[in-house]
Amino acid sequence: MAAPWRLLQGLTCCVSCGRRSLSSAASPSSAAIRRTFLRYFEEQHGHRHVPSSSVRPRGDPSLLFVNAGMNQFKPIFLGMADPRSKLVQYRRVVNSQKCVRAGGKHNDLEDVGRDIYHHTFFEMLGNWSFGDYFKEEACRMAWELLTCGYQIPAERLYVTYFRGDQELGLVADEETKEIWLSLGVPPSRILPFGLKENFWEMGDTGPCGPCTEIHYDHIGGRNAAALVNRDSPEVVEIWNLVFMQYNRETDGRLMPLPQCHVDTGMGLERLVTILQGKRSNYTTDLFTPILSAIERGSQAPPYQDKLGMEDAHHVDMAYRVVADHIRTLSVCIADGVYPGMSGAELVLRRILRRAVRYSSEILRAPPGLLSSLVPTVVEILGEAYPELEREKSQIMRILNENEEMFLVSLQRGRHIINRTIQQGGANQTFPVDVAWSLYRNLGFPLDLIRLMLEERGLSLDKAALDQLAVEEAEMKVRNQQADGTPARVQLDIHSLAELQRKGVPSTNDSRKYSYRLGADGKYVFAPCQATVLMLYKDRSLLSAVDRGQRCAAILDRTCYYAEQGGQSCDLGYFVREGEQDVLFPVESVQMAGGYVVHEITAAEPLRVGDRVTLYLDEGQRLACMVKHTATHLLNFALRQVLGEGTNQRGSHVTAERLRFDVSVTGAVSGRQLQEVEKLLQELIAEDLEIDTAHIPLSDAKCIQGLRTVDEVYPDPVRVVSVGVPVEKLMNPSCEDGLQTSVELCCGT
């Protein structure tokens, strides 16, 4: 019989081929297990391999980090994918996604080290169907890969399905149950569960549906059905198959999706543990080389995989913390998320400081241990994620700089804790205000403070500490609301599908670029004639609206820029043909699935078929144009002054101001800022022409000096160059782009 980690060529075996002992062959490597998964779906079932996205979410402010394989495909699930992007071409997809669960709703940070299976960084193996196959094929492929490809004994596996919910009017997923029976799974191993276990939802609203999970019994030779979904370390979930067939509406109702999807996820770490015959993730080859490197670089005894009371002085816990955190730090820094003071950067700073504290105080390692582990991480993960190799020296340098800074803070914090304890006398509860100050001002992770106090026999008032955290979170929300904009009309997924079903063409918005510089030096923005194709209000498509109603108009063409790419939308008004004195103010412009949605308040009744003329608020548009060009120049100037390690991470352009998000390799001095300002002023004084062109994405990627950010670009793509014609830059030997600003950009 072939080794379990080698993909069986022409895999056509029946489920009985999985009946063997896992110890009958040598253990496969984690790299081979990952490769087998990808190749199985690519070669046997025609899936497209889509590389992992960055752990920094693309245009999703609801997430600090990518925390699931489906994150990069959310526009498809929501029906919002740009028709010109490669996303709309996806039907069957497979990948291994880098995920981080630390901070936010899904936060495993404080559990890491206390057990043998929680991680802040993990890899999610997944296969997707976007309107292609559904339940039967998804279940069959999963079962075949596990029992034939990986040769996991079928008698070790249990499956669960959704038993329905009477209150919500959801019937049991009998279809999935019958599929598992047809695949030969005994009825006693097909178990029904409720909403919590077997109904998956993206969020409070959006696509959702029943799921079926595959669980593995580490012991075997028994009926372990009673241990499924009981948090038993002996029986663990390994693969979740989600069948997206509903949409959760804003009023809580579940409506059938216009197109059903499959989204599956299987944690690589857990799968490797099973296939290598282990019980602890930390004893697999994803972690053992790191643990060995920690032992060599510290004064700690060898790792023994102990927990709780058996783990004297928390040594093994410290091993696990450092091994987990160095993987997270390496992956995040390689993706341009650096330790910082807000958002994901702040979470990463806490992870780094947690690792430093365990490394220096418990493992008694000298400064520099963390950075010395990076080559080992690269050796383990570099084949799957080559950016780790490219950024290795950068990762090590950033770790060393941040470790050095925190060791100073750690020493200061230890003095503060000792002094506070001495002043408190016999009081066994540590003052909450001091703990909070250590957390807020010196960057001490709260779990580290608790651990340092536990070691001294002291406790913290957790309720009071939680209250301080809640108050700070509420203050942040109030600040964001005060700074925010009113809610905008968004096309819902059903209306998008109905537009496509009715054959309503997507909006031609090429006229947003139809402006020119007049002989008098002023920009000329020509009006645009258009036809009303559809109206939208209260989640319904309408053929007419009455006077005074706030609604959205979908036109056949527009000269308005819809909010995207970090730039605010255009404002203005339109008039109906023959009624020049009746203005329909345009309050916002959004893009959804290729349709440009103009939010208006109807000054008079408006109907499908009406001819209208659109006029821009030229002052507002020009103010955005000026500031958008400034962001490009700023990007170039920062790179010139601060070096190649300087990368754009986002921007926001409005008529009033611009914000530029950038990651840099170290602290920026006042002198460097003055150099950036001086270079910017010189560039502006040169009064260079801006050249733009739409060209194939493959040609654009060959331009030397081209700057991009991590997002999905349409094809063809728009190139914006300062002072050098794009046509000249397309010559592979042209190096002019290295000395000016050249970017992919949809803005104005």
Side-chain angles (χ1 to χ4, degrees), residues 96-261:
S96 178
Q97 173 63 48
K98 299 174 293 187
C99 299
V100 173
R101 287 191 178 170
K105 180 181 176 183
H106 299 286
N107 184 4
D108 290 341
L109 178 56
E110 292 197 17
D111 293 318
V112 170
R114 298 180 186 276
D115 56 38
I116 53 177
Y117 53 85
H118 273 103
H119 303 294
T120 51
F121 165 75
F122 64 97
E123 297 178 68
M124 185 66 84
L125 304 172
N127 61 291
W128 288 267
S129 163
F130 303 115
D132 191 328
Y133 60 83
F134 202 44
K135 295 181 181 180
E136 183 171 2
E137 200 165 350
C139 292
R140 180 171 53 78
M141 289 188 291
W143 191 257
E144 186 177 71
L145 177 59
L146 291 177
T147 59
C148 296
Y150 291 129
Q151 298 185 13
I152 294 175
E155 60 270 17
R156 293 272 190 109
L157 300 176
Y158 297 79
V159 297
T160 65
Y161 70 97
F162 181 52
R163 70 178 172 219
D165 188 280
Q166 231 174 357
E167 284 186 24
L168 292 176
L170 292 172
V171 298
D173 188 6
E174 294 291 338
E175 180 186 0
T176 297
K177 178 183 177 182
E178 291 301 319
I179 291 168
W180 288 122
L181 287 169
S182 73
L183 290 171
V185 183
S188 62
R189 294 172 183 268
I190 305 173
L191 311 171
F193 284 90
L195 281 170
K196 179 184 175 184
E197 299 87 359
N198 281 92
F199 196 89
W200 187 90
E201 303 204 42
M202 184 182 291
D204 294 333
T205 61
C208 56
C211 63
T212 182
E213 297 176 338
I214 303 174
H215 296 249
Y216 174 79
D217 177 15
H218 276 285
I219 305 299
R222 59 178 181 169
N223 185 339
L227 296 177
V228 171
N229 279 334
R230 292 291 181 267
D231 291 326
S232 168
E234 295 178 356
V235 180
V236 295
E237 174 206 334
I238 54 173
W239 205 342
N240 188 12
L241 285 59
V242 179
F243 306 125
M244 294 194 188
Q245 60 190 90
Y246 301 107
N247 191 70
R248 175 77 70 181
E249 306 293 322
T250 51
D251 60 6
R253 289 179 303 135
L254 290 171
M255 300 288 289
L257 279 174
Q259 194 177 52
C260 293
H261 307 295

Side-chain angles (χ1 to χ4, degrees), residues 666-700:
V668 182
S669 68
R671 181 186 57 77
Q672 288 174 317
L673 285 177
Q674 288 175 341
E675 285 183 46
V676 170
E677 275 193 32
K678 183 173 181 288
L679 179 53
L680 269 171
Q681 290 164 355
E682 290 170 354
L683 289 168
I684 294 167
E686 287 183 47
D687 199 21
L688 300 168
E689 284 195 16
I690 308 292
D691 190 55
T692 66
H694 282 86
I695 64 175
L697 184 58
S698 57
D699 291 347

